[in-house]
Every structure is written in structure tokens, then in C-alpha cells.
Amino acid sequence: MLILVAGADPLKAYGVMFSGPVSSEFGITETLVRATPLLLVGLGIVISFRAGILNIGGEGQILMGAVAASAVALYFSHWPAVLLFPVVFLVGCVAGGIWGGIAGWLKARLAVNEILSTVMLNSIALQLYTYLIRGPLIDPQELAYGTGVPQTAMVPQHIWLPRLIPGTRLHVGFILAIILAAIVYIFLWRTTIGYRMRAVGAGPEASRYGGIKVEFYLVLAMALSGALAGLAGTVEVLGVHHRSLESLSAGYGFSGIVAALFGRLHPLGAIPASILMGALILGADMMQRSVRVPAAIVMAIQGLVILFVVSSDLIMRKPELLQRFWCRRGTARSKSTGEGGATA
């Protein structure tokens, strides 16, 4: 209906949206490129949700990780790759972790609602990020040419992430994200700290009675979640854009939440969920370019598709919900029919 309103052919539009991401090497590789930051953010969401605290601040944490990594890479560009590469990754993780840890500390110490704090921190991070790439970190060439495009200079080429397939944008960051998914699984289900985090999420009062420092693990969970989001921003800089620029995140901080939920808040389940989300995002972009559907309608369609996917997952896990719905509908029909017959 929305596509018809826009004056486009629905069959062609949906054909492009669902077949485009899997019909060519470009589509498949670009899907995995989009899935990489989604998976990293989703892993952080899994950690925070399992600890009983909601991280809605992935967008801000991505930006903080990206701009911190870019600043260090540019300032120490003369360092060799063997030294600069791990330092840039570490700084990106630390920047995102600090940004997430702030919300965790506010929740643990001052009982500030983490949804409100992370959303506000997103706004602060966006303004700070914009100021830095428009001011102190702006590319000197932009000032020399007078164009003033808000972006940093390109980071040193010797720390760019290698391409997995020549001629595409698919980089080793995707492999790194897969490895981290396995590490997060081991961390949450095979270590003492992970067990305590999950215990805090399952029952904070019982955990406190059992001697677990609930406040400490809330802050730690948010810091780790922010660190993974900051890593996502760093990977986008080193693997895709090679600089910090205005549209770096592309909404990955929020889409990562959907990927984590669709993956049933499990690190390994987040892998296929992130790939599916990446395909949906890429397919929506392809549809917009192919049939010239307005961006607002594309976003609405994308949201509806995600809603149907998540709803179908819920129905598969709890089929009694669908049965209950049809029973209520049948009861309502019977009552209306009975009232109609009595009136007649």
C-alpha cells in the first residue's frame, strides 16, 4: 500500500528488496559488511540484557569509539602498524566503554533509569562527535579547499583492515565479530563473572543476598556493552570509511538491539540475526535506488518487515498466544451473533 501511494510497482520493489542482497557477489558481501557492526553492537546488547540493564546508547558509543580511534590513529600516524593497530582498537573500545559505563554507574549508584540516561548520552555524543569532526579533527584539505565537509582526514593506510575478497568492501572485521561472538558465549556461560552477571539479571535481590556485588556488575555489563559498540565504530573507521564522517553509524546502534532480540539474546544466535538485519537494511537501500521510493516510506517498510520478523519469532516460541487470539476472536463473534439473533 505504501509503495502504491509512492507511485511505484510493489512487485518490483519487493523483488529488489528481498532478492538484491543474495543475487550477486556485491549483495552478499555488502550484507556481511552491514552485519559486522550490527553483530558487534548486538553482542554488547546481549551482555547488558543478560545482566538486567538495557543499553539503548549504542549510537553514542559507536560515535565515541570511532572518533577516539580516528584521533589516536591520526596523531600517532608515524607509529608502525604492529604498535598503532592494537592501540587504536583499545582506545576505541575504552571510549565506548566509558560512555556506556557512565549510564551503568548512574543506574547502580543513583538509580537513574538507564533508558533515559543512554538516550540522553546519545544526544551528547552526537553533538560532541559533530563538533570534533567539524572543528578540531576536520580534514585539513577540507579547510584548504574551502569545502568544509565534516569529516576527519583518512587514517594511515597501514592500519586499514584487509579485504577478505578483493574488489569488495568485505573486510576481516567480519571474522573478528564472529570470533568475538564465540568469546562472549564462553564469557557469559563458562566463566564466574559471566555467571554472576546472568544471576544479577535473573534476580538482583537474590544475587545481593548471595554476596554478589550487584552494582559492580551492572556497571561492568554496561561498560562491556559500550566497549563492543565502540569497537563497532572503530571497525567501521578502519575497515569501511577509513575516517570519521557524519553518517558513519547509519543507525547500527538501534538496529543492533533488534538483531540481539531476534537472536534470542544469545551470542551465537546474534550471528544469523545480524546477517538477516544486514540483508534487510541493504535490501531497503537497493529498493530505494531501484524504484525511487522516498526514504521515509522505505524506513516505514523496513520497520514493518522487522516487526513481522520479530512477531513471527515470538509466535514460534509461544504458539499459545496465537491460539488465545483466535479463541478470543471466536468468542467475540459468537457473542455478536447471539446478540444479533436475540434482537431479531
Side-chain angles (χ1 to χ4, degrees), residues 1-23:
M1 184 65 183
L2 292 174
I3 297 177
L4 286 174
V5 171
D9 182 1
L11 294 178
K12 181 180 178 182
Y14 283 116
V16 171
M17 182 176 183
F18 292 112
S19 66
V22 296
S23 60

Side-chain angles (χ1 to χ4, degrees), residues 3-333:
I3 297 177
L4 286 174
V5 171
D9 182 1
L11 294 178
K12 181 180 178 182
Y14 283 116
V16 171
M17 182 176 183
F18 292 112
S19 66
V22 296
S23 60
S24 65
E25 180 184 75
F26 170 80
I28 294 172
T29 55
E30 280 298 307
T31 294
L32 299 181
V33 169
R34 308 292 179 95
T36 300
L38 289 173
L39 178 55
L40 290 171
V41 173
L43 293 175
I45 300 300
V46 169
I47 292 176
S48 64
F49 272 52
R50 288 289 179 177
I53 185 168
L54 310 180
N55 182 15
I56 315 295
E59 282 289 299
Q61 293 149 17
I62 288 173
L63 297 179
M64 288 296 97
V67 76
S70 298
V72 171
L74 293 171
Y75 189 78
F76 298 104
S77 59
H78 58 282
W79 284 12
V82 68
L83 242 139
L84 185 58
F85 193 80
V87 169
V88 168
F89 264 84
L90 180 62
V91 168
C93 289
V94 170
I98 290 174
W99 213 250
I102 293 172
W105 184 86
L106 290 172
K107 170 72 172 181
R109 296 298 180 186
L110 304 177
V112 176
N113 186 287
E114 69 272 23
I115 296 177
L116 297 177
S117 63
T118 49
V119 169
M120 293 300 101
L121 284 168
N122 278 344
S123 299
I124 296 171
L126 176 60
Q127 298 305 319
L128 180 58
Y129 179 83
T130 303
Y131 164 73
L132 290 173
I133 65 174
R134 287 179 179 269
L137 296 179
I138 192 171
D139 187 353
Q141 289 187 355
E142 297 297 333
L143 296 177
Y145 297 150
T147 50
V149 176
Q151 61 185 22
T152 67
M154 298 191 80
V155 299
Q157 190 169 355
H158 60 274
I159 61 168
W160 291 5
L161 292 176
R163 295 282 191 257
L164 289 176
I165 301 177
T168 71
R169 297 200 305 169
L170 183 60
H171 52 81
V172 298
F174 178 71
I175 303 299
L176 173 64
I178 297 294
I179 294 172
L180 283 173
I183 292 175
V184 170
Y185 168 73
I186 294 170
F187 170 74
L188 285 176
W189 274 272
R190 294 293 185 270
T191 67
T192 303
I193 297 176
Y195 167 78
R196 289 174 179 171
M197 279 187 179
R198 291 187 293 114
V200 169
E205 294 303 323
S207 299
R208 186 176 286 109
Y209 182 78
I212 297 176
K213 297 179 180 179
V214 174
E215 291 76 14
F216 169 79
Y217 285 102
L218 288 176
V219 177
L220 179 60
M222 281 298 287
L224 291 175
S225 181
L228 285 166
L231 180 60
T234 305
V235 166
E236 283 295 285
V237 169
L238 299 185
V240 180
H241 305 290
H242 304 135
R243 67 173 83 217
S244 287
L245 67 167
E246 205 166 24
S247 57
L248 180 133
S249 175
Y252 293 134
F254 297 112
S255 299
I257 299 174
V258 180
L261 292 174
F262 187 55
R264 299 188 180 183
L265 296 177
H266 194 287
L268 302 183
I271 297 174
S274 298
I275 294 174
L276 174 61
M277 281 296 303
L280 287 176
I281 293 173
L282 178 63
D285 291 344
M286 286 181 165
M287 179 176 67
Q288 182 180 353
R289 291 194 300 268
S290 177
V291 298
R292 296 184 179 181
V293 178
I297 292 182
V298 170
M299 291 179 65
I301 293 171
Q302 184 181 349
L304 288 172
V305 171
I306 292 172
L307 181 63
F308 286 135
V309 169
V310 175
S311 300
S312 63
D313 177 67
L314 178 63
I315 292 173
M316 287 176 64
R317 287 189 287 117
K318 296 183 178 181
E320 65 273 9
L321 294 177
L322 187 61
Q323 184 179 2
R324 194 181 306 165
F325 169 78
W326 286 111
C327 288
R328 288 179 179 177
R329 189 173 179 181
T331 304
R333 281 184 175 179

